[in-house]
Amino acid sequence: MLDLLITNANLPDGRKGQSIAVSAEKITEVAPSIKAEAEQTIDAAGMLVSPPFVDAHFHMDATLSYGMPRVNESGTLLEGIALWGELKPHLTQEALVERALAYCDWAVAKGLLAIRSHVDICDPRLLAVEALLHVKAKVKPYLDLQLVAFPQDGVLRSPGALENLTRSLDLGVDVVGGIPHFERTMADGAASVKLLMALASERGLPVDMHCDETDDPMSRHIETLTFETQRLGMQGRVTGSHLTSMHSMDNYYVSKLIPLMAEARMNVVANPLINITIQGRHDTYPKRRGMTRVPELMQAGVNVAFGHDCVMDPWYSLGTGDMLEVAHMGLHVAQMTSQAQMKACFDAVTENPANILGLQGYGIAPGCNADLVLLQATDPIEALRTRATRLAVIRRGRVIVQTPPTTAKLALAGRPETVDWRMK
Ligand code: FE2
């Protein structure tokens, strides 16, 4: 007797009419038509069943703090950082935990079951670190939360930051973070990369830096990050987040840089909702888009994910934890409109970030965890177009979220009674 049997499902790789059998929290079989007894059967009715959405870049310590103590008037990264600095002394662990848990509810309801969150360690109390370690343990049954020790004010620029960072790693934070472009000089930025990479290498930890989140084409810390990755033998374990300066870099320089990044097996996270609102703020017209060179990096074989980065915080006033909205924006900003590119945008919020987080047992194949999302769409491109309703979210074989299908009733003479925005 199976625990769960899903029938007549379309899969992201294009297979149609598939059954998925689940026992003891794992997928045991994926085949065109499985006939077996099961505790629960779900007829997917030709809809898409996907592995869960994954967000490789988020700030859970700041989320849902919009308006506290005021909103970001200029919309710039620097005002956001200043605003966060004003809010920090007033944070309490209890309120931070409450906001983070509320965001996790939103995320799970959108089929987002794994998040890598940066946590600001520039606070000798390590209040946010302790709060998010608590949240990580609390949400573990339904959401994988990975934490990055993030020196928001610069590991060299902010007094005591290195000590706070190592203390937070000792407490169990999973990944080493950084922010080289916020250090006082280019030289200090490069020195911070070398220092943090050495620390991560010593401890055997992955690295994920906010890197070159600026419109300055001369911000080239990704070059140092790539070089150190190669030198220390950390290929595949290092992520450059944002990399927005690459948008504005000289094409000749980039033609050297991207192959070096591919050689060092760098991971890249672009954050389209944030990059399109924060970058280009000093431009008049034409205004730069600011997002890094996503299709060119993918073309070169670099693993690229789209992250959400922010939801209702000092940097971004919108968002719901919907990774389809993130991918939809990424698709538009990068002009990734071919069929293959749109499919790649869906992968950028599922498989690609799962690789960055190093999630074990991710995917739809025998032996994988039975973590699945049933979408109100027949394929990944339709899911992106409609930001499809998550009809069911399944964690370890158990349905943890259900949402009614989205449909509208029409009262128009001679026209159908309902629409659901899907091509028939
Ligand atoms: Fe970020």
Side-chain angles (χ1 to χ4, degrees):
M1 172 81 101
L2 299 170
D3 293 337
L4 173 67
L5 178 64
I6 300 174
T7 59
N8 199 15
N10 289 355
L11 303 184
D13 63 11
R15 280 179 288 168
K16 293 186 188 311
Q18 299 292 303
S19 297
I20 303 168
V22 173
S23 269
E25 304 191 352
K26 301 274 185 198
I27 294 170
T28 53
E29 193 183 357
V30 181
S33 183
I34 299 172
K35 300 264 180 279
E37 288 283 301
E39 290 280 345
Q40 187 180 7
T41 303
I42 297 174
D43 178 6
M47 302 284 188
L48 177 65
V49 172
S50 166
F53 297 105
V54 180
D55 183 1
H57 189 112
F58 196 64
H59 294 265
M60 206 174 279
D61 49 1
T63 196
L64 307 193
S65 68
Y66 181 67
M68 296 167 57
R70 61 183 178 85
V71 299
N72 184 335
E73 292 298 337
S74 68
T76 59
L77 173 72
L78 296 181
E79 186 178 341
I81 293 175
L83 185 48
W84 176 239
E86 290 171 36
L87 173 57
K88 259 198 278 193
H90 305 292
L91 290 175
T92 67
Q93 254 198 46
E94 208 182 7
L96 203 153
V97 166
E98 203 42 56
R99 287 198 295 270
L101 288 175
Y103 180 73
C104 291
D105 295 342
W106 292 12
V108 167
K110 292 286 189 188
L112 170 53
L113 299 187
I115 299 175
R116 173 182 276 185
S117 174
H118 295 255
V119 50
D120 184 3
I121 55 80
C122 290
D123 163 20
R125 301 171 299 166
L126 294 184
L127 181 141
V129 170
E130 284 180 6
L132 289 192
L133 283 168
H134 174 74
V135 170
K136 178 182 167 172
K138 188 132 183 161
V139 301
K140 197 170 178 224
Y142 52 90
L143 187 146
D144 296 306
L145 178 59
Q146 198 175 80
L147 298 176
V148 185
F150 174 47
Q152 171 77 74
D153 302 326
V155 72
L156 297 176
R157 185 169 168 177
S158 170
L162 181 59
E163 198 207 324
N164 296 339
L165 193 144
T166 51
R167 273 171 54 218
S168 62
L169 297 177
D170 291 341
L171 288 172
V173 171
D174 312 276
V175 181
V176 175
I179 185 163
H181 58 278
F182 194 70
E183 301 292 355
R184 291 184 192 277
T185 63
M186 290 293 177
D188 265 10
S192 79
V193 171
K194 287 179 191 148
L195 172 79
L196 292 163
M197 285 292 289
L199 178 67
S201 166
E202 238 169 62
R203 290 183 175 237
L205 293 175
V207 171
D208 189 337
M209 289 196 196
H210 283 68
C211 193
D212 303 323
E213 188 183 1
T214 158
D215 294 318
D216 173 7
M218 296 314 290
S219 187
R220 294 176 168 186
H221 298 298
I222 181 58
E223 179 186 275
T224 310
L225 189 62
T226 301
F227 177 77
E228 289 299 304
T229 302
Q230 185 81 8
R231 187 178 74 81
L232 294 166
M234 290 176 68
Q235 291 89 339
R237 310 198 66 214
V238 177
T239 301
S241 280
H242 291 291
L243 304 183
T244 53
S245 74
M246 283 183 72
H247 186 96
S248 298
M249 278 176 185
D250 172 69
N251 286 331
Y252 190 89
Y253 174 72
V254 172
S255 75
K256 179 189 172 195
L257 176 64
I258 290 183
L260 289 172
M261 291 171 68
E263 184 190 25
R265 302 210 312 273
M266 301 299 288
N267 296 301
V268 170
V269 184
N271 297 297
L273 294 167
I274 310 309
N275 298 153
I276 200 66
T277 46
I278 284 187
Q279 303 312 130
R281 287 278 177 162
H282 295 57
D283 294 352
T284 53
Y285 288 93
K287 281 182 192 287
R288 283 167 289 179
R289 302 175 189 209
M291 191 168 79
T292 195
R293 304 189 186 203
V294 173
E296 293 77 8
L297 286 160
M298 284 180 169
Q299 183 79 37
V302 175
N303 183 41
V304 183
F306 288 137
H308 208 317
D309 201 2
C310 301
V311 170
M312 302 195 75
D313 68 9
W315 296 274
Y316 188 61
S317 45
L318 303 170
T320 59
D322 183 351
M323 295 308 291
L324 284 174
E325 182 179 295
V326 171
H328 188 264
M329 179 59 78
L331 183 160
H332 283 80
V333 174
Q335 301 181 328
M336 293 175 67
T337 51
S338 76
Q339 292 259 316
Q341 285 179 319
M342 290 194 280
K343 172 63 176 46
C345 288
F346 188 85
D347 295 343
V349 290
T350 51
E351 276 176 37
N352 303 359
N355 276 332
I356 292 178
L357 269 68
L359 294 180
Q360 300 294 312
Y362 181 89
I364 303 184
C368 290
N369 292 325
D371 298 348
L372 300 160
V373 182
L374 171 60
L375 293 143
Q376 189 187 358
T378 50
D379 60 49
I381 294 172
E382 189 172 72
L384 279 167
R385 181 174 64 79
T386 61
R387 271 78 79 217
T389 298
R390 283 65 164 173
L391 300 170
V393 179
I394 294 158
R395 172 78 166 183
R396 306 294 194 259
R398 192 171 75 84
V399 176
I400 58 168
V401 177
Q402 291 181 79
T403 313
T406 300
T407 182
K409 281 188 187 170
L410 300 182
L412 304 172
R415 299 306 305 152
E417 289 178 1
T418 61
V419 286
D420 64 5
W421 297 274
R422 295 177 47 236
M423 290 247 289
K424 298 293 184 236

